[in-house]
Amino acid sequence: MARARPSAINFYPTPDRPIPKPILFGAAALAIGAIVVIGAGRVTGVGLAGTPAVATVAQRGLALDERPDGSAALLDARSRAPLITVGEGEGAFAIEALRNLQRNRLRKGIDSAEPFVLALKADGRLVLEDPQTPQQIELRAFGSTNIGSFAALLDPAREENR
C-alpha cells in the first residue's frame, strides 16, 4: 500500500511556518492605500465615471405588461395602448430591457406601477430611464438595430418637455 508523502511545499501557514511579517505589512498597506484612494475619489469626484446631466428633448412613458399566458406587451404609459407584443418564449429587445429594469425594482422592493421613461437627450442620446431608481440604460451601447426599435417608439408628435 502506497503511503502519502508529506509535501515539501506548504501553501498555507502553520504554527511553525507563519506568514512572514513583511508580506502581512505589505497586504495591510495595499488595503489601506486602496481605501484612501477610493475615499479621495468619492470626496473629490476625480476618477469617477457618471452619466452627464443633459436636458431631455422628448420623452415617452412606457409600461410593461406581463400576461398570465407567458406573453408580454410594451404599453404606452398614458393610453395603455400596446406598442410591442411578444408571445410566450419570444423576446424583443425593448421588452427585455424593460424586464431588466422591472427586476431591479423588484429586488429593491419598489412599486412597479410607475412607468419607465424613454428619453431623447439634447446631445442625441436615447436613454431608457427608471424614475424610481437611478438606473439608466444608454441604448447606443446595443447597436443601431436596437436603437431603432426604441426610436420608433418615440413619437415626435407626442413630445413632452421636462
Side-chain angles (χ1 to χ4, degrees), residues 31-87:
I32 290 169
I35 291 169
V36 168
V37 169
I38 291 169
R42 296 218 180 221
V43 170
T44 64
V46 175
L48 299 180
T51 304
V54 178
T56 299
V57 176
Q59 68 181 17
R60 184 177 200 173
L62 301 173
L64 182 63
D65 180 25
E66 295 280 353
R67 298 178 178 156
D69 65 355
S71 65
L74 182 74
L75 308 174
D76 179 88
R78 187 178 291 172
S79 69
R80 304 301 287 178
L83 303 171
I84 299 173
T85 304
V86 295

